[in-house]
Amino acid sequence: MTTLSDRSGYRSTTAGALGDPLAVAASLAGASTAPHVLYERAGQWSFGAGAAYELLLYPDRIEVRDDFGARTLPTGPAPLQQIADLLAACPLPGWRAYGWAGFELAYFLHGLPQLAGPEPLLHLIVPETEVRWQDGEATLRALDPGALPALAERLAGEPAPAAGAPLDLDEGELGEEYRKAVAAAVEDIRARQLQKVILSRVVPVPQEIDLAATYLLGRRGNTPARSFLLDLGVHRAAGFSPETVVEVDAHGLISTQPLAGTRALTGDPAADHDRHEELLADPKEIFEHAISVKAACEELYTMSERGSVTVDEFMNVRRRGSVQHLASRVGARLAPGRNAWHALAALFPAVTASGLPKTAACTAIHRYESAPRGLYSGAVLTADADGSLDAALVLRTVFQRDGRTWLRAGAGIVEHSTPEREFEETCEKLRSTSRFLVPRTRSDAGSPEGPRDPRNRDFGATER
């Protein structure tokens, strides 16, 4: 088998006329027994499986794994620049890295390392095999050229349909504790300890869920900015992200898309139009959105060319699954000496999933939420050898880990928030995923938890 140490790079081929790329991609990911990530951006799917080169960032160390073995480096004061340097050292030409950054990375980046916990904060793989779909054609790449025929045959096969009817889940469970947290956060804001905080709640899913079938059904029923399906070690997730944390292209152009301000979509055109107009006129929602856009501009100033920060599409309304949001886009150009990982460090975590000021908001989140967030409100991302990076905000996602399945949703708390309305907003957002949960049947192949990586056996979301 061709390995990383051979330094010969990927062998590639193309395949066309593959039918519905969503169904093909979901089927490929669902059948994979290797660590993998499926990532969709603007109707283009990219799938990477196997780990030829792997990076795990912990609060105290970075682990690098390839076919030479494993080595450990101490985590320094600029961990994402260490990640950038390690990726640049990957010997595979034209590599693309896939992975995630957990919310707890925010504690490390914002001067609260004692709150980060012992688990990995970021996990990336450069895959052994890869498929990219665009304009009806797929490009297949593999380090082992012998793997290409089997991969092409798999792509040409008939995708398995989603099995069974969706699960009926009650999104309104466990609301009292959340309302109390919202009320306490409002008091903190009135005491001027912070301006805004996003508090979230967990809804357990009582049955085993088929993630690939859920992703297929959910993607057809959602209108996300990005979507993803991943299985990396212990973490497994399928998500329909409403916004990006950051996008950086190969020419250094940066973009971020804060969404803040929410109303439910009912399916009734007249009612949805009324809520659209109500959203645009609600002082609380406008304030919440405006301070988020202002924060994104200030964060981009820190690594951008002078005068390049712009706000586009200010306060448009975007439909995302079961809800509609106020949406703006903030753009800039990287300053000389800055790269995509500087942009991610400045914008992470998304202000729309944390709050303002970020350090105070992250502290409040740790205080009011009973368990670490992990993937929730972090990012699923791809990074390329040409310097580009695309990071989707992990919301509207179903999570699996350690034999458990759950959903999670939050709402932005400001001075004029009320516990009942913020709880209602979490229910509205949860319906983007709760309506599409496909139970796993006994005939489904494989473990509901997928392949376990013994190197990550100490992972586990524990109560604080």
Side-chain angles (χ1 to χ4, degrees):
M1 177 177 178
T2 303
T3 63
L4 187 65
S5 60
D6 294 315
R7 312 292 173 117
S8 56
Y10 291 103
R11 310 297 175 87
S12 64
T13 187
T14 59
L18 295 176
D20 178 7
L22 167 60
V24 174
S27 178
L28 183 65
S32 177
T33 58
H36 60 266
V37 178
L38 173 64
Y39 191 80
E40 180 209 3
R41 174 182 181 178
Q44 301 173 15
W45 277 264
S46 180
F47 174 77
Y53 189 71
E54 186 173 17
L55 302 176
L56 290 99
L57 169 66
Y58 292 82
D60 62 342
R61 67 192 188 280
I62 300 174
E63 294 183 4
V64 185
R65 299 167 181 165
D66 54 31
D67 61 299
F68 294 113
R71 62 188 187 276
T72 300
L73 309 171
T75 301
L80 293 188
Q81 286 310 300
Q82 291 179 277
I83 295 296
D85 292 342
L86 289 166
L87 283 175
C90 178
L92 293 172
W95 55 260
R96 170 173 288 178
Y98 298 74
W100 56 264
F103 178 81
E104 279 67 35
L105 175 62
Y107 297 129
F108 197 87
L109 295 177
H110 291 277
L112 302 166
Q114 71 279 9
L115 304 183
E119 295 188 359
L121 307 177
L122 177 144
H123 187 178
L124 297 175
I125 62 169
V126 175
E128 296 174 345
T129 61
E130 184 180 31
V131 184
R132 303 186 195 182
W133 292 262
Q134 184 174 358
D135 300 327
E137 184 175 83
T139 300
L140 290 60
R141 306 202 306 169
L143 291 179
D144 177 6
L148 290 173
L151 185 57
E153 183 179 354
R154 176 67 191 172
L155 291 174
E158 185 68 23
L167 177 69
D168 185 15
L169 184 71
D170 180 6
E171 303 94 354
E173 293 184 353
L174 307 177
E176 190 56 35
E177 183 179 348
Y178 184 76
R179 293 183 181 93
K180 290 179 181 178
V182 170
V186 169
E187 291 304 312
D188 287 348
I189 292 168
R190 290 174 177 168
R192 300 297 181 260
Q193 295 180 27
L194 69 166
Q195 283 185 290
K196 171 184 175 179
V197 64
I198 287 75
L199 295 183
S200 68
R201 66 186 184 92
V202 173
V203 176
V205 177
Q207 290 182 237
E208 296 175 357
I209 297 300
D210 183 327
L211 273 190
T214 295
Y215 172 77
L216 178 60
L217 187 65
R219 177 59 187 87
R220 286 176 171 160
N222 272 283
T223 51
R226 303 288 187 271
S227 72
F228 54 85
L229 177 62
L230 67 86
D231 184 341
L232 290 179
V234 169
H235 287 287
R236 306 181 74 227
F240 317 102
S241 173
E243 63 184 281
T244 55
V245 180
V246 65
E247 306 159 46
V248 184
D249 72 12
H251 306 290
L253 294 178
I254 318 167
S255 180
T256 185
Q257 187 185 41
L259 272 63
T262 305
R263 287 294 185 275
L265 289 168
T266 67
D268 180 325
D272 290 341
H273 175 74
D274 289 345
R275 294 186 182 199
H276 175 285
E277 296 302 310
E278 179 184 299
L279 185 56
L280 287 168
D282 188 312
K284 180 263 182 186
E285 305 287 10
I286 292 171
F287 172 75
E288 181 185 345
H289 185 80
I291 61 174
S292 299
V293 173
K294 180 176 183 290
C297 290
E298 291 171 347
E299 290 167 343
L300 285 178
Y301 290 146
T302 64
M303 91 294 297
S304 303
E305 286 185 356
R306 188 171 182 177
S308 70
V309 176
T310 60
V311 178
D312 300 317
E313 308 172 9
F314 180 64
M315 230 169 64
N316 286 346
V317 176
R318 291 281 180 264
R319 295 190 172 197
R320 295 289 186 252
S322 59
V323 294
Q324 50 191 324
H325 295 289
L326 293 177
S328 298
R329 185 169 290 279
V330 184
R333 180 180 291 276
L334 285 172
R338 300 286 183 164
N339 60 38
W341 295 92
H342 287 108
L344 180 62
L347 290 162
F348 192 91
V351 65
T352 52
S354 55
L356 291 168
K358 278 190 177 176
T359 299
C362 289
T363 302
I365 287 167
H366 188 271
R367 182 165 66 250
Y368 287 120
E369 296 186 357
S370 62
R373 287 186 169 187
L375 292 182
Y376 173 77
S377 69
V380 172
L381 60 95
T382 62
D384 285 85
D386 63 7
S388 58
L389 184 146
D390 197 85
L393 178 58
V394 181
L395 305 175
R396 319 296 193 267
T397 297
V398 53
F399 305 92
Q400 289 185 343
R401 176 176 177 165
D402 298 333
R404 300 179 299 117
T405 301
W406 70 96
L407 308 180
R408 193 163 188 161
I413 316 303
V414 294
E415 185 171 354
H416 298 293
S417 291
T418 63
E420 192 56 44
R421 170 56 198 151
E422 303 307 337
F423 174 75
E424 180 184 14
E425 183 174 316
T426 65
C427 293
E428 294 167 354
K429 292 173 177 176
L430 284 163
R431 291 178 194 126
S432 290
T433 47
S434 64
R435 296 175 297 162
F436 305 109
L437 300 172
V438 178
R440 180 178 294 277
T441 64
R442 290 186 178 182
S443 61
D444 291 335
S447 162
E449 282 301 302
R452 308 262 47 81
D453 185 342
R455 296 171 299 186
N456 298 334
R457 62 182 179 274
D458 58 335
F459 290 14
T462 56
E463 297 291 318
R464 293 197 182 101

